[in-house]
Amino acid sequence: MTQLIKGDSSPDSSPSLRLPRAWLRVMALLYDPFVWAGEIAGMRRRRRTLLAQAHGRVVELGAGTGLNIAHYPADLDQLVLTEPEAGMRRKLARRVNRHGRTAVISDARAECLPMDTASVDTVVATLVLCTVDDPARALHEIARILRPGGQLLFIEHTRSSWLPLMVCQNIFERPWRAFAGGCVCNRPTLDLMRAAGFDVDATEAVWSGMPVIVHPLVVGRATR
């Protein structure tokens, strides 16, 4: 069972990179097949292991087509799934219902979350902080809604520390972003988390089965 709540759609919260709506609809259709090899090659296992730590009131940012749904514990107090893209949101709602979960679905963007301050136990971000237009603002929002002792669970790809790959990421950042629905392949996500005041416990991995431009992955937990 799903419930839809509306987020902030004010002009200042709209993305600066205007991607064609038709292409975003195509991305919603192609996303699952595109990441299928990566899911089989280890991402599904990473999701399951990470999300076993989720508890209490959980908010997932940019839930996409719902690939995390099957891995959440059954005893959560509430599950809120945010997804601003309409095509993704439709697939997300179908997947929630298919798994028999109860969830609230919101069209809110990560930079402006419709949750009260200090009202959330767990925030989940898997392959989403690369796509937000203003990651510093999104991390500020995450910090705002987390209760004292709350946690941010994440799987993100990040800028490589290996110089040849970093150079390639820098060269192909704009065309990749246009192709991949706003994904920024060279975003230094861990540095941004620490700059926002988070204590980060993360490990690095390779996103097997996916283009090398989105290597490496960082997987972990962050707290304030």
Side-chain angles (χ1 to χ4, degrees):
M1 183 176 65
T2 61
Q3 173 189 355
L4 176 65
I5 59 174
K6 300 293 285 183
D8 180 7
S9 58
S10 58
D12 69 343
S13 67
S14 60
S16 63
L17 180 63
R18 303 287 181 174
L19 297 170
R21 290 188 178 275
W23 182 241
L24 291 175
R25 289 195 293 270
V26 171
M27 284 292 298
L29 294 172
L30 295 182
Y31 185 79
D32 286 4
F34 183 70
V35 301
W36 178 82
E39 292 294 311
I40 297 299
M43 183 60 80
R44 188 180 297 166
R45 171 183 51 79
R46 292 188 184 98
R47 294 180 193 272
R48 182 170 59 248
T49 300
L50 182 76
L51 297 177
Q53 303 174 68
H55 63 85
R57 188 185 188 208
V58 177
V59 173
E60 180 178 345
L61 306 181
T65 63
L67 293 175
N68 285 334
I69 296 299
H71 307 300
Y72 280 110
D75 59 350
L76 300 179
D77 294 341
Q78 185 185 38
L79 178 60
V80 181
L81 306 168
T82 72
E83 176 49 57
E85 169 52 38
M88 293 282 194
R89 206 161 53 243
R90 286 190 290 270
K91 294 190 72 172
L92 174 64
R94 288 196 293 269
R95 186 166 258 136
V96 169
N97 292 330
R98 190 160 66 245
H99 283 279
R101 297 296 305 238
T102 297
V104 175
I105 296 178
S106 170
D107 64 356
R109 299 179 64 245
E111 295 94 334
C112 194
L113 297 170
M115 292 93 195
D116 292 337
T117 297
S119 65
V120 173
D121 300 290
T122 303
V123 173
V124 174
T126 59
L127 309 175
V128 65
L129 291 176
C130 60
T131 65
V132 298
D133 193 52
D134 188 342
R137 183 174 173 185
L139 287 163
H140 174 80
E141 277 290 270
I142 293 169
R144 180 186 66 80
I145 68 173
L146 279 175
R147 292 185 173 123
Q151 60 180 349
L152 166 62
L153 303 177
F154 61 89
I155 305 173
E156 296 288 343
H157 66 83
T158 188
R159 183 173 63 193
S160 177
S161 59
W162 184 48
L163 184 58
L165 180 52
M166 185 192 302
V167 170
C168 288
Q169 288 175 326
N170 292 340
I171 291 171
F172 290 103
E173 183 263 331
R174 288 194 65 82
W176 176 260
R177 189 176 187 186
F179 164 76
C183 170
V184 179
C185 61
N186 60 350
R187 182 161 284 169
T189 300
L190 290 186
D191 292 342
L192 293 169
M193 287 182 185
R194 295 185 178 107
F198 284 94
D199 293 323
V200 180
D201 181 13
T203 58
E204 189 171 300
V206 174
W207 194 1
S208 300
M210 293 297 291
V212 70
I213 199 169
V214 289
H215 295 181
L217 288 173
V218 287
V219 183
R221 179 177 182 269
T223 57
R224 293 280 288 178

